[in-house]
Amino acid sequence: MSSKKPSVSLALGSGGARGLAHIGIIEWLEEHGYRIASISGASMGALVGGIHAAGELEAYKRWVCALNRADVLRFLDFAFSGDGLLKGDRIMDTLKAMVGDREIQDLPVSYTAVATDIDRQREVWISEGPLFDAIRASIAVPGVFTPHEYQGMTLVDGGLLNPVPIAPTFRDFTDLTVAVNLNAMTVRIPTKLQKQVQQRGRESSDERSYQDRIRQFLDAISDNFGGGGAQKLGVFELTTRSFETMQNAIAATKVAAYHPDVLIDVPRDSCAAHEFHRAREVIELGRGLAELAMGAHD
């Protein structure tokens, strides 16, 4: 590798908690001499990418890895409305306190969040304005988060139309385009990497009751939604799984249509969309998959 750091355009895909793999991928790239000059993200890709572009990824990593030990239920601000289960204000307020109110055009890294204009049925690229308006719009999974009203548009999750947002990187003048698909078919992961990931998982195994507490809380508030706990949890699971099924099909089409220099595939069965309690092992998985993909490219 030359003394000049190769510049990279990153296209970070959507996939819920699997998006924590983006952290490990970004870390690996920077540790191995790549300079991330541009980021395009959808949903969790927009969130992780935006926080990195603002220079606060390490703070976010520490926070999300400690999430199991925290009382995460306080971030579940139920909307009690027909257009989404959660408002998302509490999590956005927490991230704003961590990162600060930032304007996209002032960030040191070029950044684009991809959202979906639900009224006009089109993809929207947000490359200027408040960072957290862009992130909030891009993560608004239909049925889970309420839509985000922004500049006269009703915006929802960018993964609805573009779960691997490679196209926004076409306007970049970088040495390399690296795309991350969080909805890949099951792929063979080397034994050494499996052991590393499993070790990360064991480090937090005593904290796994976090997910059970969320489920119990959903059951407890279910009467507010006019049904039993099992019924409402079933609706939530059906919504997220249906959305993921759609993303899987679209992601395959996008990857076939656009050809990044490097494609990092994160298996869709490596982590469920809501399993944020597995942050450490998913981040480690991202690091390992980055090494495999970039090594093959070199």
Side-chain angles (χ1 to χ4, degrees), residues 126-264:
I126 306 175
S127 300
E128 59 182 18
L131 173 62
F132 283 99
D133 273 317
I135 291 175
R136 176 62 181 82
S138 191
I139 67 169
V141 179
V144 179
F145 286 104
T146 57
H148 187 61
E149 302 294 333
Y150 182 65
Q151 295 187 349
M153 298 178 288
T154 301
L155 301 179
V156 297
D157 196 299
L160 189 65
L161 293 180
N162 196 348
V164 189
I166 302 169
T169 68
F170 288 173
R171 56 193 176 182
D172 297 337
F173 295 96
T174 53
D175 299 318
L176 204 62
T177 297
V178 177
V180 183
N181 176 20
L182 300 179
N183 299 284
M185 295 288 288
T186 300
V187 297
R188 181 182 176 275
I189 299 176
T191 302
K192 181 179 178 181
L193 176 55
Q194 287 181 0
K195 290 180 178 179
Q196 291 172 343
V197 171
Q198 289 167 0
Q199 176 60 34
R200 285 292 187 179
R202 283 193 292 270
E203 289 175 5
S204 57
S205 61
D206 59 333
E207 301 163 346
R208 294 293 176 84
S209 62
Y210 140 80
Q211 185 179 3
D212 294 333
R213 298 203 307 273
I214 290 181
R215 291 181 179 275
Q216 291 168 7
F217 186 70
L218 286 171
D219 288 343
I221 56 88
S222 62
D223 288 343
N224 291 309
F225 294 90
Q231 178 186 0
K232 295 314 294 185
L233 189 59
V235 170
F236 177 77
E237 292 285 351
L238 180 61
T239 299
T240 54
R241 290 182 185 181
S242 297
F243 189 69
E244 281 199 313
T245 299
M246 180 189 64
Q247 284 190 109
N248 294 343
I250 297 175
T253 301
K254 292 292 185 182
V255 170
Y258 303 108
H259 300 284
D261 297 299
V262 179
L263 177 65
I264 300 176

Side-chain angles (χ1 to χ4, degrees), residues 10-30 36 42-49 52 57 60-61 64-65 178-184 189 193 197 264-273 275-291 293-294:
L10 266 183
L12 302 179
S14 62
R18 287 190 300 280
L20 296 172
H22 294 320
I23 298 173
I25 291 167
I26 290 170
E27 289 180 338
W28 190 94
L29 288 170
E30 293 199 322
I36 298 170
S43 200
M44 270 298 288
L47 191 153
V48 172
H52 175 69
L57 189 62
Y60 176 74
K61 177 184 175 181
V64 78
C65 285
V178 177
V180 183
N181 176 20
L182 300 179
N183 299 284
I189 299 176
L193 176 55
V197 171
I264 300 176
D265 278 327
V266 178
R268 69 184 66 158
D269 62 355
S270 60
C271 172
E275 291 184 317
F276 287 90
H277 62 291
R278 298 175 61 187
R280 290 183 180 87
E281 57 186 289
V282 177
I283 291 170
E284 186 68 26
L285 176 64
R287 292 178 66 89
L289 292 174
E291 183 171 2
M294 298 302 294

